[in-house]
Amino acid sequence: MKSVTFLVAFALLALASSIASAYDPSPLQDFCVGLNNTKNGVFVNGKFCKDPKLVNANDFFYSGLNIAGNTSNPVGSKVTHVFVNELGGLNTLGISLARIDFAPYGGLNPPHTHPRGTEILVVVQGQLYVGFVTSNADNNRLFTKILNPGDVFVFPIGLIHFQLNIGKTNAIAFASLSSQNPGVITIANSVFGSNPPINPDVLTKAFQVDKNLVNYLQKQFWPSN
């Protein structure tokens, strides 16, 4: 009886472990093109999906990543996402893509995280200074690298990371992420641009700064990318 109980407990732990490590649902069919409405959808694998009989090549197609993003904004960068909302055919496939354009010297993709996906970045034009910070448990270590065309860098899931153009010309990079919808949390936006604002007393103590500075930062426009 004890051996049976042990086996059941072991099986439950294994199942819990597999669930905990799964960020996107695994496909149970060839494809499951996601829908924003359910009029022509069928419920498959936990999602509403387009009826397979109505699926066509356009459901797996996206055009426009050859077009430069507008970097005339305060941070000097533009991220063009190709997530599941832009390309329904990504649904259940656990992958997505983005193009990142940087203005000359100083164009910045600000510190941010992807809570549901690891990012792998390749530079195709320009020179970028990139990095990420480890968690508190690893003493918040900073890993940085200068990337040139053809160089690749990986940002582990959930960790704060950034990219800065240190060249004199426009820079372009492409990123692939290990989720159909990895999410983006930009640190400055979340901390100082939340709606409604975080109580200044919280931020004053957290950052060990004067409340006037916190009030000033909360009044700024924090562009999202």
Side-chain angles (χ1 to χ4, degrees), residues 188-207:
N189 301 50
S190 300
V191 175
F192 296 108
S194 66
N195 184 21
I198 297 174
N199 187 317
D201 291 336
V202 174
L203 301 181
T204 298
K205 193 159 191 177
F207 288 94

Side-chain angles (χ1 to χ4, degrees), residues 27-125:
L28 299 178
Q29 63 288 315
D30 288 344
F31 49 77
C32 181
V33 176
L35 288 176
N36 292 324
N37 65 71
T38 60
K39 182 178 179 181
N40 294 313
V42 291
F43 196 71
V44 179
N45 201 26
K47 297 287 184 180
F48 274 103
C49 304
K50 191 173 184 178
D51 187 334
K53 296 177 183 177
L54 301 177
V55 170
N56 58 64
N58 286 330
D59 292 312
F60 306 96
F61 174 78
Y62 179 93
S63 180
L65 286 189
N66 61 312
I67 301 172
N70 184 1
T71 60
S72 59
N73 54 62
V75 294
S77 71
K78 172 62 178 177
V79 180
T80 304
H81 300 123
V82 187
F83 294 171
V84 68
N85 288 338
E86 291 77 35
L87 182 56
L90 290 175
N91 191 41
T92 77
L93 300 184
I95 193 170
S96 58
L97 182 70
R99 169 179 172 146
I100 313 167
D101 289 275
F102 301 85
Y105 197 81
L108 172 70
N109 192 11
H112 63 281
T113 73
H114 301 293
R116 295 180 294 277
T118 291
E119 174 182 340
I120 183 168
L121 182 89
V122 58
V123 177
V124 297
Q125 178 181 313

Side-chain angles (χ1 to χ4, degrees), residues 19-24 81 83 96 110-119 155-161 176-187 190 225:
I19 292 173
S21 62
Y23 294 94
D24 285 1
H81 300 123
F83 294 171
S96 58
H112 63 281
T113 73
H114 301 293
R116 295 180 294 277
T118 291
E119 174 182 340
F155 305 99
I157 184 170
L159 298 186
I160 296 174
H161 59 282
S176 181
L177 300 107
S178 61
S179 171
Q180 65 185 39
N181 187 24
V184 181
I185 301 173
T186 306
I187 307 306
S190 300
N225 217 347

